[in-house]
Amino acid sequence: MTFDDALDDFSRLHRIFSFHLGVAVGLSWLTTLYAACYAPWVRNIRAILDPANGLDHIESTVSYLFVMPALLTLAWVSLVFGREVIRRSQTLPSVAMEFAVAALVAFGVFYLSIDRAVAALYAGL
């Protein structure tokens, strides 16, 4: 019996999901920090990115770039340190379904983070 066989489904999926979310957090921060070096530091970056619709919603460069990576980091830290709380609070009938839903949400936040960083990077170039 290997180490992977000795673990239950939750432990195996938790370990895989934690690793991949950690990689996503690292990539998100690297992309955001790279974009922050070239992005224009303004009070309203939305007006630069979309001049037609950017005046109705004011968002600074700091909040535009760093909210999504910070949210991913918070999710990753709570996933790693709240393992037993997550294990006890199962709401869907299958553990695999819960991790699949969590992966979809995490991928959405990761995509928004990268999309915002690339948009800010293009605005700075």
Side-chain angles (χ1 to χ4, degrees):
M1 178 183 287
T2 64
F3 180 70
D4 290 334
D5 294 336
L7 298 175
D8 60 336
D9 285 341
F10 179 84
S11 297
R12 183 178 52 83
L13 290 171
H14 183 270
R15 187 179 70 241
I16 292 169
F17 186 67
S18 297
F19 172 76
H20 285 91
L21 186 59
V23 170
V25 167
L27 288 173
S28 176
W29 275 108
L30 286 174
T31 308
T32 299
L33 292 174
Y34 182 76
C37 293
Y38 297 102
W41 289 89
V42 294
R43 182 175 173 270
N44 186 8
I45 195 169
R46 287 202 181 260
I48 295 172
L49 297 175
D50 187 16
N53 296 326
L55 297 175
D56 59 345
H57 183 75
I58 296 174
E59 191 169 6
S60 71
T61 303
V62 175
S63 65
Y64 185 79
L65 284 177
F66 294 108
V67 166
M68 295 298 169
L71 184 64
L72 277 174
T73 304
L74 179 66
W76 183 52
V77 168
S78 64
L79 175 74
V80 171
F81 292 114
R83 177 180 176 165
E84 292 305 316
V85 173
I86 294 170
R87 181 189 296 267
R88 290 188 203 121
S89 64
Q90 183 177 351
T91 56
L92 297 176
S94 170
V95 175
M97 283 178 54
E98 286 206 3
F99 278 104
V101 170
L104 286 174
V105 171
F107 181 76
V109 175
F110 173 72
Y111 178 80
L112 286 175
S113 172
I114 299 298
D115 185 53
R116 285 178 165 217
V118 169
L121 185 62
Y122 282 143
L125 296 177

